[in-house]
Every structure is written in C-alpha cells, then in structure tokens.
C-alpha cells in the first residue's frame, strides 16, 4: 500500500472523542504532503477554542509517526479557511443522525 | 495560522486544579441535600429563613454551584478565551482558602449565625482571589467578545454578592443594621442569582450550546440584546430595593424576563443550525434547565405583579434548583468525562483505541437520573404550592437520593 493510503488509514483512527467521528470524515484535514519520510499536515478543528485542540492535533502526529519509514511529522492547525459542515463526508453526516 | 510545534496551545490547565473544585462540589452537594432532609417541615410551610436552611442552601450554592463554576472556569476560560490561567499556583491556594471558608461558613450558619462573620471573611478572601485570578486571565485575551462581557460582568456580581453576604453576616455578628437588613438581603439574592449565576450560565451557554450541538452559521448578535435587557433588569430591580418601589421591582422583573426570553429564542435559533441531530442526554438536561429558567422568570414577574411574597419565595427555591443547579449538573456531566478523558487518554490518541466521551459514563444511569431530577422538581413545585409536608418530604428524600446517585455517577467516571 502506498504511503498516502497508509497515512489516511492511520488518520482515520484519530477520532474526535466528543462526536466519535474520525478527523478525515469530519473534513478536518486540509492538506497532506508526503516527501522523503516527512509528512506535513495542514488541518483545522470544528471550532476555534475547541477544548480538544491539543489532544486531536497531537493524536494526528502520533498516528502518522506509526507508519514505517516516516521520520518526521509536522502538524499545522489553521483557522483559515474555517471549517464548515460541508466538508464532512456522508459517513460523518450519517453518524450525526442525518439521512435517518 | 498557528503552528503546533510543539503541539500544545499553552492554554491547557493542570487537570488537578478543576478536579479539586469539582470533587469538593459533588460531595458538598450530597451533604447539602442530606441536611435539607432535616428541614422538611419548615421548608414545606414556606419558612426558608432559618439557620439550618441557610447552612444547607449555602452549602448547595457555595459548596456545589460556586465551586463547580470556579472549577469549570479554570478549565473552560483558557479554551474558550484562548488564554492560559494567570497563575495555577494561586489557583490551588484559592481552592484551599475557598473550601475552608465554605465549610467554616456553613457550619457557623447552622450552629451560631451570629458567629458567621469571621468565616465569611475567609470565604470572601477566596472569592477575591478567584476574581483577581480570572480578571488577570481575561485581561490577556487578545480579542474580547460578547462572552467576555457576560463572564466579566458575572465576576463583578460575584464580588458584590459576596460583599452583600459579608454585610449580612456582620449584621448578625454586631447585632446592627436591622433597618437595612431587608435591602441588603434583597441585593444578595438579586446579585447572586441573576448577576452572578445567570449571567455566567448564559455566557458559557453561548460556547457550550454550539460546541455540543455542532452548530454553525448562526449570529451572536442577539446576545448583545440579551445582555442589555438583563443588565437593565438587574439595575432597575437594584434601584427598586432602595426606593422600596413595587412598580420599579415589577419593571425590573419584566426586563429580566424579556432578556431571558430573547436568550431562549437565541439558543433555539442556534440549535436550529446544528449538525448533530441527536443531542446527548446531559446537554439536553441543561437545555431543560433553560426552559425551566424561562418559566420561572415569567412566574417571578407574575408573583411580583400580584404581590405574593410567599409565591416569590417558592420561585426563588425552584430557580436555585431548577435553573442554576440543573444547568450546572447538566454541564458537569459533560465536563467531568472530558477532564478525565484528557487526563487518562489524551496522550494515547493516535497510538491505540481510546473511548469516546460518551463511553466515559453510564448513559442509561444518566438518563434515568435526569428524568428523576425533573420529576423531583415538579413534585417540589406542587408540594410547596399546596404546602404539603408529606409530599415535600418525599420530594426531598428523592432529591437527597439523587444527589448521592449523582456523586456516584461522577465518581464512576474515574474508573474508566
């Protein structure tokens, strides 16, 4: 499996503990750059001042560090552009009670 | 854009600080409700102003509600206002002083109210230290918003409530102030219930409601009108006490009611923009408290217009339990699992499966308890309205049992 697919698989193990939905389906990951064993993640959270800010950002870093051959992971949290619900996947919406 | 290398925002609080307050609060709550079992006959006949009742009421309001509010603010202010606590070391000292002050004050109120003045000074010191801590913390907030306004104003009212309370204790201590006692008592109740607790709960509801419902795309503009109306209400009611004017008191109550009506409408508008369709039980319980708060603001206005002091006394009791304590219980059922999860699992995210916050608590038990709280409040309202001692006794036994069960539910979180 290529590293990008592995990275997304790992990111899907990081859940927002309040919602129980992973960061990929929530649409929190804006960009993922993988190069020579280095990963740069640009991500956001559902709201500025989220009490889970540090837990989720550090969780993303740790999850990606588990991948064989990855030497360095950098995570940047941005509020620009702010997260919007449109970024969520159908799976996330389903878990939030939509379509039922 | 903010870089998270190292991935700490620098706004996290040492989890032991809010926990110290919250654990004290949960135990004080159970103690206060058990104490009230002994005051059933006087309470059900509408006699609230007795030393033993004062002691239990202050243990509930200071030991539980105030300490929970303080603990929650140590946790929430840094994340909601994006600024670290000014001094955590001071926070632990403030906890020790306030806890000692509350215990000494409650004991002296029950045993010898005329000696409550000195413990009240210790309590006042604890409150001053807390307000100082929060003022220094909020001062560092880069962009002030409407939440800052609500929280800062509520802190000012906390100080005024404590000052009025200290003055009441001094009246007993020095056997003086009989002429102004009623006015100071009115100020103490008005500042404490409306100025401190209500403004604080409204302020944090503007953070909690969107956060727990995942609401997006709403306006915070109506919050300004809520603030303006509610503050005007407090100011007019304040003036009515000095003017001894019934018309001014009714006008103040009308403004307070109007402010609360706009608040409820605004929260409803926010929740209509929510992405999370099914809301958690604890949060729904806090929303129930908002509806109860609305009903009681309307009832208080009506009681003042018809001039029923007895009815107003009952409304104040229901306001404390149904609006203030229920709001705090609901939010506490969200905050405690979060705090323990952060302590226990935060560093394991991304390395192993960790529970969700919902899994940190027995949801079935929480659901049953929340329903029973509401039933107990309805029973209390009926018992007080018809002055039924047996019904009030049953209600108080239920409330005492629920407060012990609530303490148990909170404690079970620490086994997760």
């Amino acid at each position: 499996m290529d590293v990008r697919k592995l990275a997304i698989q790992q990111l899907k193990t990081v859940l927002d503990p309040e919602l129980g939905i992973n960061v990929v389906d929530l649409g929190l990951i804006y960009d993922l750059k993988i190069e020579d064993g280095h990963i740069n993640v640009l991500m956001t959270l559902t709201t500025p001042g989220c009490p889970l800010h540090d837990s989720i950002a550090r969780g993303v870093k740790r999850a990606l560090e588990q991948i064989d051959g990855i030497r360095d992971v950098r995570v940047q949290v941005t509020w620009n552009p702010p997260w919007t619900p449109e970024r969520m996947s159908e799976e996330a919406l389903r878990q939030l009670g939509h379509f039922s | 854009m903010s870089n998270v290398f190292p991935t700490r925002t620098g706004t996290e609080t040492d989890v032991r600080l809010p926990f110290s307050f919250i654990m004290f609060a949960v135990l004080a709550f159970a103690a206060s409700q058990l104490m009230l079992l002994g005051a059933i006959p006087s309470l059900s006949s509408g006699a609230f102003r007795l030393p033993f009742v004062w002691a239990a009421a202050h243990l509930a309001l200071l030991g539980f509600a105030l300490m929970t509010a303080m603990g929650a603010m140590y946790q929430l202010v840094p994340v909601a206002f994006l600024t670290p606590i000014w001094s955590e070391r001071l926070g632990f000292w403030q906890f020790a002083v306030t806890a000692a002050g509350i215990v000494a004050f409650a004991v002296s109120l029950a045993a010898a109210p005329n000696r409550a003045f000195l413990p009240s000074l210790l309590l006042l010191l604890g409150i001053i230290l807390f307000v100082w801590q929060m003022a220094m913390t909020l001062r560092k907030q880069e962009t002030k918003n409407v939440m800052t306004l609500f929280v800062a104003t509520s802190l000012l009212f906390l100080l005024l409530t404590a000052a009025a309370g200290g003055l009441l204790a001094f009246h007993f201590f020095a056997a003086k102030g009989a002429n102004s006692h009623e006015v100071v008592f009115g100020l103490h109740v008005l500042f404490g219930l409306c100025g401190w607790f209500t403004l604080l709960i409204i302020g944090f509801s503007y953070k909690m409601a969107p956060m727990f419902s995942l609401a997006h795309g709403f306006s915070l503009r109506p919050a300004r009108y809520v603030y303006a109306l509610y503050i005007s209400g407090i100011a007019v009611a304040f003036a009515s006490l000095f003017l001894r004017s019934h018309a001014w008191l009714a006008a103040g109550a009308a403004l307070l009611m109007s402010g609360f009506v706009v608040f409820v409408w605004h929260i409803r508008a926010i929740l209509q923009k929510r992405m999370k369709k099914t809301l958690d039980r604890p949060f729904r319980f806090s929303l129930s408290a908002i509806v109860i708060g609305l009903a009681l603001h309307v009832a208080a206005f009506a009681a003042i217009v018809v001039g029923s002091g007895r009815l107003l006394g009952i409304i104040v009791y229901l306001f404390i339990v149904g609006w203030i304590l229920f709001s705090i219980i609901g939010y506490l059922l969200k905050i405690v699992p979060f705090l323990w999860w952060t302590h226990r699992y935060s560093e394991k995210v991304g390395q192993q499966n960790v529970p969700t916050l919902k899994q940190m608590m027995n949801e079935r038990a929480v659901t049953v308890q929340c329903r029973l709280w509401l039933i107990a409040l309805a029973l209390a309202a009926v018992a007080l309205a018809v002055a039924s001692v047996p019904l009030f006794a049953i209600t108080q036994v239920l409330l005492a049992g629920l407060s012990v069960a609530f303490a148990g539910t909170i404690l079970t979180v620490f086994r997760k």
Side-chain angles (χ1 to χ4, degrees):
Chain A
M1 199 184 287
D2 72 51
V3 182
R4 186 168 192 84
K5 278 186 180 166
L6 269 175
I8 289 173
Q9 201 175 59
Q10 277 299 101
L11 286 172
K12 285 195 172 186
T13 66
V14 181
L15 305 185
D16 177 321
E18 168 64 21
L19 301 169
I21 303 172
N22 70 68
V23 293
V24 177
D25 282 326
L26 270 176
L28 300 183
I29 306 298
Y30 283 173
D31 193 25
L32 188 64
K33 282 197 175 76
I34 305 169
E35 208 171 55
D36 300 332
H38 297 272
I39 299 183
N40 281 301
V41 182
L42 182 64
M43 66 175 292
T44 191
L45 296 165
T46 55
T47 176
C50 172
L52 296 159
H53 180 292
D54 293 343
S55 303
I56 295 175
R58 283 197 297 247
V60 162
K61 182 174 164 62
R62 273 192 296 268
L64 295 173
E65 283 170 346
Q66 311 277 314
I67 301 170
D68 281 343
I70 295 301
R71 294 194 298 276
D72 180 40
V73 178
R74 289 176 170 263
V75 180
Q76 247 181 353
V77 176
T78 181
W79 309 115
N80 186 25
W83 178 86
T84 60
E86 291 74 34
R87 297 192 57 85
M88 284 191 288
S89 69
E90 275 200 12
E91 175 56 23
L93 289 169
R94 193 189 59 74
Q95 287 187 53
L96 289 171
H98 295 249
F99 318 124
S100 57
Chain B
M1 190 177 288
S2 65
N3 196 325
V4 285
F5 284 106
T7 52
R8 283 178 69 91
T9 56
T11 57
E12 284 179 349
T13 307
D14 181 343
V15 76
R16 289 172 301 176
L17 184 54
F19 262 133
S20 306
F21 284 90
I22 288 169
M23 289 317 298
F24 178 93
V26 170
L27 297 175
F29 187 41
S32 73
Q33 294 306 304
L34 292 171
M35 278 175 75
L36 280 175
L37 286 176
I40 288 168
S42 51
L43 277 176
S44 53
S45 61
F48 295 94
R49 294 172 71 173
L50 299 168
F52 200 68
V53 177
W54 291 335
H58 281 81
L59 207 51
L61 278 170
L62 299 171
F64 176 63
L66 176 68
M67 290 297 261
T68 301
M70 285 177 170
M73 282 179 77
Y74 273 114
Q75 178 61 31
L76 288 173
V77 164
V79 292
F81 297 108
L82 302 174
T83 173
I85 289 297
W86 182 62
S87 166
E88 287 189 359
R89 192 183 164 88
L90 174 67
F92 285 105
W93 278 107
Q94 186 255 314
F95 166 73
V97 171
T98 314
I102 288 170
V103 172
F105 185 62
V107 168
S108 61
L109 271 183
N114 57 334
R115 291 188 192 157
F117 179 57
L118 291 177
S120 81
L121 290 181
L122 189 60
L123 180 57
L124 187 61
L125 175 64
I127 290 172
I128 290 170
L129 289 176
F130 175 73
V131 173
W132 174 255
Q133 168 90 288
M134 287 299 147
M136 296 305 285
T137 302
L138 290 176
R139 212 168 67 110
K140 288 189 290 179
Q141 188 192 8
E142 281 181 19
T143 314
K144 309 280 191 285
N145 54 32
V146 74
M147 268 175 57
T148 321
L149 193 61
F150 274 103
V151 172
T153 311
S154 73
L155 286 168
L156 178 66
F157 277 114
L158 173 61
L159 266 187
L160 293 172
T161 307
L167 194 53
L168 286 175
F170 179 73
H171 286 169
F172 283 114
F173 175 71
K176 285 180 179 169
N179 293 338
S180 61
H181 195 76
E182 282 298 316
V183 172
V184 180
F185 179 74
L187 291 179
H188 186 56
V189 173
L190 176 71
F191 290 164
L193 301 187
C194 297
W196 157 238
F197 280 119
T198 300
L199 286 180
L200 186 75
I201 296 169
I202 289 177
F204 275 112
S205 292
Y206 280 124
K207 178 71 189 173
M208 308 277 217
M211 201 165 72
F212 293 145
S213 64
L214 200 59
H216 269 260
F218 56 87
S219 167
L220 268 179
R221 200 173 176 80
R224 297 180 195 178
Y225 307 120
V226 175
Y227 181 84
L229 282 167
Y230 213 81
I231 284 290
S232 307
I234 294 174
V236 172
F238 170 83
S240 78
L241 293 171
F242 287 98
L243 299 170
R244 296 181 193 272
S245 161
H246 184 255
W248 276 65
L249 185 61
L255 283 166
L256 290 171
M257 180 181 69
S258 308
F260 209 88
V261 167
V262 179
F263 167 63
V264 174
W265 168 81
H266 191 198
I267 287 292
R268 189 169 173 270
I270 290 171
L271 291 178
Q272 280 173 340
K273 297 271 187 182
R274 75 183 190 271
M275 294 305 297
K276 197 174 177 179
K277 295 297 173 193
T278 310
L279 301 173
D280 294 337
R281 175 61 64 176
F283 179 50
R284 277 158 60 193
F285 188 63
S286 291
L287 294 176
S288 307
I290 291 178
V291 176
I292 293 166
L294 174 64
L296 291 170
H297 274 84
V298 174
F301 171 67
I304 288 167
V305 168
V306 299
S308 171
R310 182 179 173 275
L311 192 57
L312 199 58
I314 293 171
I315 290 166
V316 167
Y317 170 84
L318 297 174
F319 192 90
I320 292 170
V321 178
W323 160 237
I324 296 172
L325 297 187
F326 281 13
S327 293
I328 290 173
I329 287 170
Y331 286 135
L332 207 52
L333 288 169
K334 295 288 291 179
I335 291 169
V336 171
F338 164 74
L339 283 173
W340 190 246
W341 183 94
T342 305
H343 172 67
R344 187 110 156 71
Y345 297 108
S346 182
E347 294 302 317
K348 293 175 182 166
V349 179
Q351 281 177 331
Q352 63 183 70
N353 284 338
V354 297
T356 61
L357 295 179
K358 208 174 173 181
Q359 291 166 334
M360 298 292 288
M361 208 171 248
N362 181 343
E363 206 184 2
R364 197 179 169 81
V366 170
T367 301
V368 172
Q369 282 177 31
C370 288
R371 285 182 182 150
L372 287 174
W373 281 116
L374 293 170
I375 291 169
L377 185 78
L379 286 176
V382 173
L384 291 170
V386 300
S388 164
V389 177
L391 186 56
F392 192 80
I394 294 168
T395 307
Q396 193 51 48
V397 169
L398 181 59
L399 283 171
L402 279 170
S403 64
V404 173
F406 172 67
T409 303
I410 294 291
L411 291 173
T412 57
V413 173
F414 306 128
R415 290 168 57 190
K416 297 281 180 181

